[in-house]
């Protein structure tokens, strides 16, 4: 059993290489914010050169908004396309192939100023969005399939750690003393090529997912070799047996399409949970907090608010690491509930602080503390958990379709929040965070009553739990509550404790 909870060099290397995709997502999410005024000046200069007149302010705002939001549109399309790749080419090969998108996107953005082409900037952002959307599906799925059951949550949290480190690196590189200048901003956007090339080379030394090899390709021999290398032991019979059982079950089922996820009682509960957890991440108010943070830091007398925002990014990173060590001890469900509850309290405190702003002299400092604690609670639960728990809720057959739906839900809600939040802030002003308090309470209640604990349970145990509940719900609706209690309280096997 030791191999099941053993951290080996090949396993750490494999997961670390995959996480480069998450770092790319975080970097390209945060990189556009720091050089905003400089890029707007580029848009204006390009317009003047083409038309011999200054760009109208409303058109400048529109072009800037497109440059930012087109990334999310690409992400929505990319995330929904995950299943097209992973079932045909495998998990590792899919990550390897799509790096060409990162290279193309980086070249377009990096040379947009030299070519004096706004179109190259916008198309480059769209292409890099496609890449990042695909990565948000590939990376958690690959990590969950190569990791032993006892370490699946901890390694799954590394996906979110890659995202927050990417955002932090983008914030630091975007400082005006590094690359946030009129001459270097194309390099800031284009250097996404570097991790893409590094990952391409490193993936050549990473194995394909053993679950994909055995269950999808019926290649037991290579699956066994991969498992022996990753687990650091020759005895991988229990892993092989579990995969064979899942493969036999999958062979009896028809191919799972996206509509089937919603039609079939066996999958419907799980896909609803997956979607709601993704919504709980984006509708938690985390983006709104960062939207307000600069102004709050400035009001509190911080001379350079950008450094305080980087400080919040450091808090982001630290508490993602904390979550990494807690997730296999406290469990996914407990951490998610803790994060949602803590964020709701902090959002209420921020609302009070915004209302009293200018009335109570020291209230801005309370706001700063509330922001930092809000970010910490986000990274304990709603930040990392929705990404990897989706792969845990589904067996091999429906997993790609479920990851695609969940990822698209995340990107779509991200796009809607970015689009609608400025209007909500203008309408509600100091009370805007009450909207997120309501959302957080709703998500807390949903998680408490509907989300099962997946810690220490195999993929087959989790999916079987949903199928038993679906069968109970059809035959005897009055026992639905008891069946959910059964689902949320199945205890992991005793050897499931992770040695990290």
């Amino acid at each position: 059993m030791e191999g099941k909870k053993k951290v080996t060099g090949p396993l750490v290397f494999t997961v670390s290489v995959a996480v480069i995709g998450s770092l790319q997502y975080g970097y390209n999410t945060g990189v556009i914010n720091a050089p905003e005024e400089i890029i707007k000046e580029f848009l204006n200069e390009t317009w003047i050169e083409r038309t011999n007149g200054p760009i109208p302010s409303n058109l400048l705002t529109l072009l800037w908004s497109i440059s930012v939001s087109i990334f999310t549109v690409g992400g929505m399309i990319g995330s929904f396309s995950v299943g097209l790749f992973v079932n045909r080419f495998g998990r590792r090969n899919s990550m390897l192939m799509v790096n060409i998108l990162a290279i193309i996107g980086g070249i377009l953005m990096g040379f947009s100023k030299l070519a004096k082409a706004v179109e190259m900037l916008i198309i480059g952002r769209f292409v890099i969005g496609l890449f990042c959307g695909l990565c948000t599906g590939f990376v958690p799925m690959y990590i969950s399939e190569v990791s032993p059951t006892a370490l699946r949550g901890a390694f799954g949290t590394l996906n979110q750690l890659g995202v927050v480190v990417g955002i932090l690196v983008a914030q630091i590189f975007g400082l005006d003393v590094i690359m946030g200048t009129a001459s270097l901003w194309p390099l800031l956007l284009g250097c996404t090529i570097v991790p893409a090339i590094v990952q391409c080379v490193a993936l050549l030394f990473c194995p394909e997912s053993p679950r994909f090899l055995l269950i999808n390709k019926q290649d037991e021999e290579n699956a066994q070799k991969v498992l022996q290398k990753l687990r650091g032991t020759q005895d991988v019979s229990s892993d092989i047996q579990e995969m064979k059982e899942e493969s036999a079950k999958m062979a009896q089922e028809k191919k799972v399409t996206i509509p089937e996820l919603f039609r079939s009682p066996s999958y419907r509960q799980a896909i609803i949970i997956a979607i709601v957890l993704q919504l709980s991440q984006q509708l938690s108010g985390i983006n709104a907090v960062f939207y307000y943070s600069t102004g709050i830091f400035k009001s509190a007398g911080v001379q350079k608010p950008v450094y305080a925002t980087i400080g919040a990014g450091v808090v982001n990173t630290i508490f993602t690491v904390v979550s990494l060590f807690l997730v296999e001890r406290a469990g996914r469900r407990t951490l998610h509930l803790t994060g949602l509850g803590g964020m709701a309290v902090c959002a209420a405190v921020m609302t009070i602080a915004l209302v009293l702003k200018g009335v109570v002299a020291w209230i801005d400092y309370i706001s700063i503390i509330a922001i930092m604690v809000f970010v910490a609670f986000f990274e304990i639960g709603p930040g990392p958990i929705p990404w990897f728990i989706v792969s845990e809720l589904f067996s091999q057959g429906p997993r790609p379709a479920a990851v695609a739906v969940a990822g698209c839900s995340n990107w779509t809600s991200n796009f809607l929040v970015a689009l609608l939040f400025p209007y909500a802030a203008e309408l509600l002003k100091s009370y805007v965070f009450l909207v997120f308090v309501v959302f957080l309470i709703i998500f807390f209640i949903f998680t408490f009553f509907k989300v099962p604990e997946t810690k220490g349970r195999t993929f087959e145990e989790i999916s079987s739990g949903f199928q038993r509940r679906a069968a109970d719900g059809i035959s005897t609706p009055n026992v639905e509550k008891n069946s959910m209690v059964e689902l949320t309280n199945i205890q992991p096997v005793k050897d499931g404790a992770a040695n990290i």
Side-chain angles (χ1 to χ4, degrees), residues 28 31-32 35-36 38-44 46 50 63-71 104-129 185-190:
N28 287 288
V31 75
I32 199 75
E36 176 179 348
I38 297 170
I39 295 178
K40 282 183 176 179
E41 186 58 33
F42 159 70
L43 298 175
N44 187 42
T46 305
R50 293 184 183 183
L63 283 175
W64 170 252
S65 299
I66 291 173
S67 300
V68 175
S69 62
I70 199 73
F71 171 77
I104 292 170
I107 290 171
L108 287 169
M109 294 186 294
F111 287 96
S112 59
K113 184 181 180 184
L114 188 64
K116 299 178 181 177
V118 175
E119 299 85 354
M120 286 177 64
L121 174 64
I122 293 173
I123 294 171
R125 286 286 290 171
F126 175 74
V127 172
I128 205 72
W185 70 262
L187 181 61
L188 178 67
L189 270 60

Side-chain angles (χ1 to χ4, degrees), residues 13-28 95 99 102 131-132 135 139 143 158-159 161-163 166 192-203 206:
F13 176 79
T14 298
V15 172
S16 299
V17 171
V19 167
I20 294 174
S22 304
L23 187 143
Q24 288 271 59
Y25 169 46
Y27 183 84
N28 287 288
M95 289 191 290
N99 270 298
F131 166 72
C132 291
C135 283
V139 176
I143 291 174
L158 288 175
N159 173 67
L161 183 61
V163 175
T192 189
I193 294 171
V194 176
I197 294 172
V198 170
Q199 189 181 44
C200 279
V201 174
L203 277 171
C206 294

Side-chain angles (χ1 to χ4, degrees), residues 2 73 113 121 128 130 153 164 195 205 222 236 272 282 301 338 361 494:
E2 186 63 27
V73 174
K113 184 181 180 184
L121 174 64
I128 205 72
L130 279 174
V164 298
F205 301 95
N222 280 323
V236 292
I272 290 172
Q282 291 299 331
T338 302
K494 289 184 179 180

Side-chain angles (χ1 to χ4, degrees), residues 325-471:
F325 287 97
L326 289 178
V327 70
E328 292 297 355
R329 291 170 171 80
R332 289 78 155 137
R333 184 171 176 272
T334 302
L335 287 185
H336 199 66
L337 286 168
T338 302
L340 291 171
M343 291 172 77
V345 172
C346 291
V349 171
M350 281 187 278
T351 300
I352 296 169
L354 286 172
V355 170
L356 297 177
K357 186 178 174 67
V359 178
V360 180
W362 44 265
I363 201 69
D364 284 322
Y365 297 102
I366 299 296
S367 295
I368 291 176
I369 294 171
I371 286 173
M372 296 299 185
V373 177
F374 186 96
V375 168
F377 274 116
F378 176 78
E379 293 304 345
I380 283 176
I385 287 171
W387 287 121
F388 71 82
I389 200 172
V390 177
S391 293
E392 294 186 323
L393 293 175
F394 294 90
S395 56
Q396 193 78 2
R399 187 177 296 127
V403 168
V405 171
C408 190
S409 302
N410 187 289
W411 281 91
T412 303
S413 56
N414 185 356
F415 176 75
L416 291 174
V417 168
L419 184 70
L420 299 176
F421 177 73
Y423 297 102
E426 186 176 339
L427 179 66
L428 300 173
K429 294 184 170 54
S430 300
Y431 296 95
V432 68
F433 282 107
L434 288 180
V435 174
F436 298 112
V437 172
V438 173
F439 275 129
L440 287 162
I441 291 172
I442 292 171
F443 293 133
F444 183 94
I445 294 170
F446 179 89
T447 301
F448 185 82
F449 286 106
K450 295 294 182 181
V451 178
E453 180 54 72
T454 59
K455 179 185 73 170
R457 296 167 63 194
T458 66
F459 295 122
E460 179 60 25
E461 287 171 347
I462 296 166
S463 61
S464 296
F466 281 112
Q467 289 171 359
R468 283 198 303 274
R469 181 172 186 261

Side-chain angles (χ1 to χ4, degrees), residues 164 167-168 171 290 308-318 372 375:
V164 298
I167 293 172
L168 183 60
Q171 290 173 333
F290 279 107
T309 303
I310 289 174
V314 172
V315 172
N316 236 350
T317 305
I318 291 171
M372 296 299 185
V375 168

